[in-house]
Each structure stands twice: as C-alpha cells, then as structure tokens.
Amino acid sequence: MTDLVGDRPVLVVDFGAQYAQLIARRVREAHAYSEIVPHDMPVAQMLEKDPLAIVLSGGPSSVYAEGAPRVDPALFDTGVPVFGICYGFQAMAQALGGVVERTGLSEFGGTELEVTSPESALFATLPQRQSVWMSHGDSVTSAPEGFTVAARTAGAPVAAMENRERRLAGVQFHPEVLHSEHGQRVLEAFLHDVADIDPTWTMTGVIDHQIDLIREQVGDGLVICGLSGGVDSAVAAALVQRAVGDQLTCVFVDHGLLRAGEAEQVERDFVAATGVRLVVVDARDRFLSALAEVEDPEAKRKIIGREFIRVFEDAARQVVDDAGRDGHTVEFLVQGTLYPDVVESGGGSGTANIKSHHNVGGLPDDLQFTLVEPLRTLFKDEVRQVGLELGLPPEIVWRHPFPGPGLAIRIIGSVNEERLSILRAADAIAREELTAAGLDRGVWQFPVVLLADVRSVGVQGDGRTYGHPVVLRPVSSEDAMTADWSRLPYDVIARISTRITNEVREINRVVLDVTSKPPGTIEWE
C-alpha cells in the first residue's frame, strides 16, 4: 500500500534537522497531511507527489560549507508554495539571489524578534515583539528581490521574509518548537494564508480513507494480525476489522518475552472491546530456544522477527482450516508499523538505520504474506486518536509503547527464563508505583533494563551480595523521534528502588538513566 492517507501532502524537505519530524507533526496539527522527503530528492520527484506546499527544514550545515546541501532554484518556479526554516530559510534566500553572511552575531536559544512589516501574512495577528528560538551562525543580510522583510532580531537583519505573489516565505527561527511562543501560529499563517491550504485533514478522514484502502487491497482474502498487547497492533487490528470484519483473525503469540499481566490483558480487554476472533499461541519454548546464548541485540531482533513469521505461517494454516477454505491461504498480514519506525529504519527520509524494528527491518526475505500497514504514515499520538475514534478502551489506547521484541531487548546479554523472571518482577514494581503516583500520562515510556552480564557488590541483611543492577529509563516525548528523561519526583524513584531491592532478591542496585534522545535511544538495545 502506498497511498496511505489520500490527501495531497505538504512535503517537509529534511536537511538533516533534529526537528524535521517535529515540523511534520506541527503541519498535521494544523490539519494538513505531511510527509518527510530527503533533501536530495529531485524537484521533479517532489512534484510527482502533487504537494500542496513544501517546507524546507533546518540543518547543521553552513550554506558556504563544502558539500552543504543545496536547494534547486527551479523549485521556486514551480508555483508550489515554499516555506524555509533556519538552514532551509538561508538556502532559499541564497538560491533566490539574497545575501547570506557569517556576521559574527550568532544566536542560540531564546531571542527577541521584532516584526517590521505590520502587513505581514506571517505575523498579521501577532505581537510586534515576541520570543523565538534561534540556532544559527550565518544570517540573511539582504532579502531576494521581490521579498518583504517581515521581522528582524539583533543578530539577524532578515529574520523573516515573504513574497505573497509567489507564495514564498521563510523564517530564521524555529517555529516548530514550543520555545517559539507563537511558532505554531506562524506556521499556520503560512499554510492557511500564504499557501491557501484548507485545514481539513482529520483522524476521522484518515479512518474512512484507510477503510476504503484496506477493502480495496484485501478484497475477500483472509487476513491475520499479530497482537502484541500494545496500542499500535491493537489500533491496526481494530481498523482492519472495521474494514473487513470476520475476514480478520488476530493471533496473539505468547513468546515468553512479555511483561507481567500482558497476556491476560490482550485476551480480556481487546477481545471484549472489539469482538475480534482471537487465536492464542503458546510459543514460549520455541522463542527461548532460538534466543539461547544470543547476546547481540540486532541478532535478537532478527531471530524474534523470523520466529514471529514462522508462528504466523503455522497459525495461518489453522485459520484456513477454521474458515473452511480448503485450498486457500492467508495472504495478508497486518502490521502496526508507525512513521517513526519507518524513519528510524532508514525508510522515511534517507536517514541512517539506527536500529531495525522487527515489524520494519527484521522480517525474513521469504515472507509469505502481503503486508497491510494502515498506520505507516502516522505518529503515535495520531494512532491514539484513531484508537479513541474506533472505541478502544483507554487502558489500551494510553498504554506505554512496548517494543515488539519485548523484554529480550531490555536484557543486556543473553535471554533465559531466570533473567526474564527477574526483569518482569522489577518492571511490574516500577509500573505499579508510577500508576499509584498518577504519572502514567506524563511519561511516554518507562523501560526497565536488566544488566544481566554485570554484577555489583551490595549489602542486604547481614551479608554482602553480588547482584544485578537494573536501570530505570523514564522518558518524556511527543513522538519518540526525540525524547528527554522524565524528572520523576524523588520520592517515587525512592519507592521504586526500595521495593525492587527488597522484593527482587537478585537485584541489589537501581540506577536512573538521565540521557536524552539524541544522543541516546529510548531503548538500550
């Protein structure tokens, strides 16, 4: 499936920006569909997507650096509205004949912006002075011919510019970050007033269009979906069931890598909410045997992805028998792949493969199913909105993200039943205390990591111990593309630590991971 949303996109051209994904999300918050594309995509290919507008992202380069990414000047003669941000703003100005210089007046962080053109479309309803978030060394010192200078700062003589006739505009600051106090309204002014885009993209429209696409793709074929207990697979399954009904059978594989209580939650809550046909497969021995003595995290992911598919293939034959369709096969497999999965696996914008996800990069080459991925272009918060629209219970919709490979990638070292039991017990305590403190919604994800191959000296009771450390990794995020460690109250952290070291005898040390993303990823493996 390629046309996953049905709306003409606003293209976000990624110049290596930390915030390219955030720009795409902000465009969607303005009710316009967005897609991220690499900066080296030829203009002709961009036009094949029939974009409503194009946004040029920021980036770490200087426009004068050797090998710095460029903007093809032909882009500005296509008639498509273009909005430049930070580096994209400078590259745009340079391509159109403006002047970009290293003035020595770099600006980083909060900066006061002065609106110099009261008639500006970008700032028409905003205060003349406002705080914006800057991050630049070079500055545009002279706007291209035909452009109005709309704003300035102490270090940027041209901090914003626009040409209403050509529907071109740009800003030196970052409107996509919350530190720019009116940034979202500036972006919306470009989309709605300069580019004349109607704000009509909604989750209801996404659902309706996806249902049509799923029916077109599947026809009268049989479909299976691997439920993990997480929100992604649950929403994908609910969406497919809404489209094709009893043609869908959900397969819940208990691979032995789940957290405490998860198998019961899937069988109870999801089936009760949807009425979906569910097949439960106990494959714990199969997965643990395949993972025995395997320490490399990528190897773990590949093994788990392979075994999942093999289990699905076995389950598919049972589905055919149950459906009374002798001589037929299950052709389609539903995956809860999200846009961040695609981007991080190198499939979204030419980015590096940070890690393979078992539902993106870890599938075997001889896959016997055609994938149905109805969430592939959505961010996590959008998936939650879809889930609520479909009537899924809050316990499923607001569940913290949990990786498909499960606890296998939260054990640093090889995986066995003893180590899984230790980690399950510690994880359950951490989740219980977070819920008791009312902090579930304020934390995006809360991995607990067992350093299985590390031992630390401790004192418990009257004797010395030589136990395992565990790492608490609470993070806050909007879409998992960037994240920061959650500043949990110290008394909550203390209760978690005390309970784990008291109740899980194999653990004698609890540490807190205070690394943001980047440079660290959310999961350790």
Side-chain angles (χ1 to χ4, degrees), residues 295-370:
E295 297 184 0
D296 179 73
E298 280 297 290
K300 291 181 191 177
R301 290 177 183 273
K302 298 289 186 182
I303 289 169
I304 293 168
R306 181 195 71 211
E307 294 303 317
F308 256 104
I309 295 303
R310 298 302 172 239
V311 170
F312 287 148
E313 289 169 349
D314 293 342
R317 287 186 280 273
Q318 184 63 47
V319 169
V320 171
D321 293 341
D322 292 344
R325 295 196 184 186
D326 294 339
H328 291 74
T329 61
V330 176
E331 182 181 353
F332 299 99
L333 170 65
V334 179
Q335 290 275 43
T337 310
L338 305 191
Y339 201 30
D341 297 338
V342 176
V343 173
E344 287 201 346
S345 297
S349 60
T351 55
N353 186 352
I354 298 172
K355 61 178 182 291
S356 69
H357 294 253
H358 86 273
N359 59 344
V360 178
L363 297 176
D365 294 334
D366 59 344
L367 181 67
Q368 296 180 15
F369 303 106
T370 299

Side-chain angles (χ1 to χ4, degrees), residues 223-226 233 236-237 240 248 332-336 370-374:
V223 190
I224 63 172
C225 175
S233 64
V240 173
L248 170 69
F332 299 99
L333 170 65
V334 179
Q335 290 275 43
T370 299
L371 293 181
V372 179
E373 298 179 296

Side-chain angles (χ1 to χ4, degrees), residues 242 273 386-393:
R242 180 74 63 89
V386 170
L388 293 172
E389 292 269 353
L390 292 171
L392 293 181

Side-chain angles (χ1 to χ4, degrees), residues 135-212:
S135 181
H136 70 100
D138 298 344
S139 297
V140 178
T141 57
S142 179
E145 184 178 352
F147 280 75
T148 298
V149 177
R152 66 188 177 196
T153 66
V158 183
M161 64 182 189
E162 57 190 67
N163 184 322
R164 291 294 300 277
E165 183 179 349
R166 299 179 65 183
R167 297 194 295 173
L168 306 176
V171 294
Q172 179 61 69
F173 60 91
H174 287 275
E176 72 275 17
V177 303
L178 296 177
H179 304 293
S180 293
E181 57 182 344
H182 299 293
Q184 182 65 12
R185 291 176 64 185
V186 171
L187 182 59
E188 289 174 357
F190 167 75
L191 295 171
H192 301 158
D193 300 330
V194 177
D196 295 322
I197 297 173
D198 292 329
T200 57
W201 190 74
T202 65
M203 288 302 106
T204 300
V206 169
I207 291 171
D208 292 342
H209 187 69
Q210 279 300 318
I211 288 173
D212 290 341

Side-chain angles (χ1 to χ4, degrees), residues 27 95 115-116 159 170 191 200 219 224 237 267 309 322 352 386 390 416 441 445 510:
V27 171
V115 177
T116 56
L191 295 171
T200 57
I224 63 172
E267 294 188 60
I309 295 303
D322 292 344
V386 170
L390 292 171
N416 58 44
R441 295 281 184 93
Q445 201 168 346
V510 177

Side-chain angles (χ1 to χ4, degrees), residues 388-411:
L388 293 172
E389 292 269 353
L390 292 171
L392 293 181
E395 293 79 12
I396 292 177
V397 171
W398 294 106
R399 184 174 179 267
H400 285 179
F402 187 60
L407 296 179
I409 60 168
R410 292 182 179 176
I411 294 175

